[in-house]
Amino acid sequence: MGIIAFFISLIVLGILYRRMIARDVPEPIGRMQAVVPVLLGVVSAPLSFIFTLTCGYFLSTNGYTHADHSLITQSVVSALLFAGLTEELAKFLMILASFAIFSRTVRNVYEYTLIGAAVGMGFTLPEEILYGSDLLGLLFRIDFIAGHMIFGILMTYFLGMAKYKKLTAQGSPTREYILALLVPMLMHTLYDTFTANNKFLTNTDEEIQMIGAGMGIVVALAAFVIQIVILVKHKKNAEKLCSLRLS
């Protein structure tokens, strides 16, 4: 099942990413600039696992245990450690690495967002094999299939705007730097709190399980709509973002 999820993601995200590249003007980015960030995104997946283990060790050595807290607190903490904080931080580092590698060739804010989309796509592929191994997991993965790509786009949009503001002296870039990490982290944590890390679903009480399932369905549907809205908005803003020159 995980292999099926992998190939579905590869095809869908590959098509989306290729179309994003085609919108880059006056000419699309080169092959290396398109491929390398995807590979770095793949690297960010095991890196996030190392971060998760580190956070888990820190909490356990400081006396934190799930059983001492409410189900919603357990869900939030799990979502933060297994997704919002650790995964977004790992992708953030690979995005910075991509910027360093292509610092002389990235020409505009739109190309910043292409790097974010590429790293997000790369992260998704190994994750699909790991978490798409059962039918329920596969359904949730397909529902928000471009999630990591969107988080990467948002992160690099804010980073690109920060650099543009700095270069053009159009105000302080501090707000954009903060939002670059905060927005994807919070969105990711919120989504996983009610889906993949929803502790209501694993409770022994059937009524609580139903409540958890209801919350998961609502959030999954909302995430699907938000996913489409952000992708459409990114498409509409492509020309404008291309005009925001960084070199």
Side-chain angles (χ1 to χ4, degrees), residues 117-195:
V119 171
M121 174 182 172
F123 186 96
T124 301
L125 298 179
E127 191 181 56
E128 294 303 318
I129 297 176
L130 182 62
Y131 295 119
S133 56
D134 58 77
L135 183 58
L136 182 60
L138 179 62
L139 292 175
F140 271 116
R141 307 300 302 174
I142 293 176
D143 169 73
F144 202 38
I145 194 170
H148 285 294
M149 181 176 276
I150 287 172
F151 297 145
I153 288 172
L154 292 173
M155 186 179 289
T156 46
Y157 166 77
F158 289 118
L159 289 174
M161 290 305 298
K163 184 171 184 180
Y164 181 75
K165 282 189 174 184
K166 188 175 181 180
L167 289 175
T168 58
Q170 295 186 18
S172 172
T174 303
R175 173 180 173 272
E176 275 66 34
Y177 282 130
I178 294 173
L179 291 176
L181 264 176
L182 194 61
V183 170
M185 191 181 297
L186 290 178
M187 289 180 65
H188 199 164
T189 299
L190 179 63
Y191 177 75
D192 274 47
T193 293
F194 296 103
T195 55

Side-chain angles (χ1 to χ4, degrees), residues 66-87:
H66 261 3
D68 296 334
H69 300 275
S70 66
L71 290 176
I72 189 64
T73 301
Q74 292 179 33
S75 300
V76 171
V77 172
S78 293
L80 186 64
L81 294 185
F82 286 98
L85 174 62
T86 53
E87 293 184 1

Side-chain angles (χ1 to χ4, degrees), residues 33 99-107 163 247:
Q33 192 170 327
F99 290 161
I101 294 170
F102 299 104
S103 60
R104 296 185 179 181
T105 57
V106 176
R107 299 165 296 185
K163 184 171 184 180
S247 62

Side-chain angles (χ1 to χ4, degrees), residues 177-229:
Y177 282 130
I178 294 173
L179 291 176
L181 264 176
L182 194 61
V183 170
M185 191 181 297
L186 290 178
M187 289 180 65
H188 199 164
T189 299
L190 179 63
Y191 177 75
D192 274 47
T193 293
F194 296 103
T195 55
N197 292 283
N198 188 339
K199 301 306 177 184
F200 289 79
L201 294 174
T202 57
N203 193 272
T204 55
D205 189 317
E206 290 187 3
E207 186 174 345
I208 293 177
Q209 288 181 12
M210 291 299 293
I211 293 173
M215 292 189 297
I217 291 171
V218 170
V219 170
L221 290 175
F224 179 78
V225 173
I226 292 171
Q227 170 184 239
I228 300 301
V229 169

Side-chain angles (χ1 to χ4, degrees), residues 29-132:
I29 58 175
R31 182 172 297 178
M32 288 295 292
Q33 192 170 327
V35 173
V36 171
V38 176
L39 298 179
L40 289 175
V42 173
V43 173
S44 69
L47 181 61
S48 72
F49 182 67
I50 295 173
F51 290 163
T52 297
L53 290 178
T54 303
C55 289
Y57 176 77
F58 175 80
L59 288 180
S60 64
T61 54
N62 284 273
Y64 176 87
T65 56
H66 261 3
D68 296 334
H69 300 275
S70 66
L71 290 176
I72 189 64
T73 301
Q74 292 179 33
S75 300
V76 171
V77 172
S78 293
L80 186 64
L81 294 185
F82 286 98
L85 174 62
T86 53
E87 293 184 1
E88 295 309 318
L89 179 58
K91 287 185 288 183
F92 179 73
L93 293 177
M94 292 303 101
I95 284 171
L96 293 183
S98 299
F99 290 161
I101 294 170
F102 299 104
S103 60
R104 296 185 179 181
T105 57
V106 176
R107 299 165 296 185
N108 54 61
V109 174
Y110 186 73
E111 290 184 2
Y112 256 54
T113 66
L114 288 179
I115 286 177
V119 171
M121 174 182 172
F123 186 96
T124 301
L125 298 179
E127 191 181 56
E128 294 303 318
I129 297 176
L130 182 62
Y131 295 119

